[in-house]
Amino acid sequence: MIRLSDNVLMVNDMAGLVSRLRRRIPGFASVGVLTDRNVEETVIEQTGLLQKISSSAHMSVVKPGEASKSLTVVEQLSQEWLEAGMDRNSLIINIGGGVVSDLGGFAASIFKRGIRFINIPTTLLSMIDASVGGKTGVNLGGAKNQIGTFSRADEVIIWTGFLKWLPSRELKSGFAECLKHAFLQGGEALRLVNHGLPADPATLASLVEASVKFKDSVVNADLYEIGQRKILNFGHTVGHAFESASLLANAEPWLHGEAVAAGMLVALRLSVRVAGLSPDFAAKWEEFILNNFSIPKTCGMTSMSLMQFLRYDKKNVGNSLRFVLLKEPGMPLFDQEIAAESVREEVELVLSLLS
Ligand code: GLY
């Protein structure tokens, strides 16, 4: 077992995960496990994880997907937990991807004014991003993460062995956030991602370790995102617009990481345009993104339709949009104001690359 930060542990195998949970659980009066149906049917059933950690845990299973991140589901979960006799000395264990840790972390953070929870991420995206850093929340209407809390998990226990159950499309989606962390760190971190998503489990585990350590260092310095934590939104401003637009397009919705990869294409171009990033660096990584992420077809998206989604971004000032840009690899700048027309031009160019 390796300690990656004060609340994040990495275990080598299932036995390590079970042994860690068995050490933690006896301190609590009761335990609730939250997962989604996909994770229950694959990871949990095939590993027998639940029987190995607790025969008396109360199990809640939600539908996979963003639709479960709602206040209605939070109310249903709280009702279940009440009926199961859970109290302030109960523990919630969230086993799954970002939807499960966002939802379960939020519900735990408000149930009885807050009970403790442990995250066991089963996706790459959740291991290196969603389950680490204390952001919890649910969606409101069509808008993502509008209601939530900053509540750090008691512990995050990462076992990269879960990734063998993850479809390759989801792995690539998580890898986009690894690449984002590498741009923000520069140097050795970029060298680690240079060859694409590692096929070898040990190299992938090293990448997860480095990525989590970086995220944790940023979060520790600014948990509430007053300043420096904003850098973690690199690629996300336009990324969220791609993600929302894909829900309206006549095709499969894009995964978060696919949208972030497309958003980073725009952010790299804007970084060259206004922050002095080397055009050679941007061109090299643009090619890397186009070759490594299988970003879906843009299916009728236009620069104008994407700009509509950006118009309501909370970070806007007048006719300018606020971005995280790169001055150099490892040197991000946040709160950079850019004229909407410049953004539209770069979005247009990126759309032409993707179609
Ligand atoms: N995913 C960005 C953050 O945790 O701040």
Side-chain angles (χ1 to χ4, degrees), residues 1 19 29 35 67 104 138 226 246 283 346:
M1 186 176 81
S19 132
T35 191
V138 294
I226 309 297
S246 80
E346 298 302 348

Side-chain angles (χ1 to χ4, degrees), residues 129-130 132-133 135 177 180 215 219 225 229 232-233 236:
D129 191 16
V132 180
K135 281 188 180 174
E177 295 282 0
K180 178 196 79 178
K215 172 150 187 189
V219 169
E225 201 173 300
R229 183 173 181 162
L232 297 176
N233 294 320
H236 282 60

Side-chain angles (χ1 to χ4, degrees), residues 57-182:
H58 175 81
M59 177 87 166
S60 306
V61 183
V62 294
K63 284 190 195 145
E66 282 289 316
S68 286
K69 278 177 58 176
S70 73
L71 285 174
T72 309
V73 177
V74 170
E75 190 177 348
Q76 286 162 358
L77 274 179
S78 307
Q79 191 66 42
E80 268 187 38
W81 294 345
L82 268 183
E83 284 164 15
M86 297 179 63
D87 60 22
R88 298 214 59 211
N89 196 24
S90 297
L91 172 74
I92 300 298
I93 303 178
N94 300 312
I95 308 178
V99 167
V100 169
S101 58
D102 282 4
L103 169 69
F106 177 58
S109 77
I110 58 170
F111 182 72
K112 305 266 182 186
R113 298 206 173 86
I115 62 174
R116 286 183 287 169
F117 61 98
I118 288 178
N119 287 339
I120 302 183
T122 57
T123 65
L124 181 56
L125 193 99
S126 179
M127 287 176 192
I128 62 136
D129 191 16
S131 73
V132 180
K135 281 188 180 174
T136 77
V138 294
N139 305 330
L140 192 63
K144 283 187 71 169
N145 303 326
Q146 295 300 299
I147 296 185
T149 56
F150 285 101
S151 312
R152 298 191 88 169
D154 223 41
E155 206 155 78
V156 180
I157 311 175
I158 297 175
W159 176 47
T160 53
F162 282 130
L163 298 177
K164 70 171 175 258
W165 279 279
L166 199 65
S168 127
R169 187 175 170 205
E170 298 262 2
L171 266 177
K172 283 185 189 168
S173 170
F175 184 55
E177 295 282 0
C178 292
L179 176 62
K180 178 196 79 178
H181 288 166

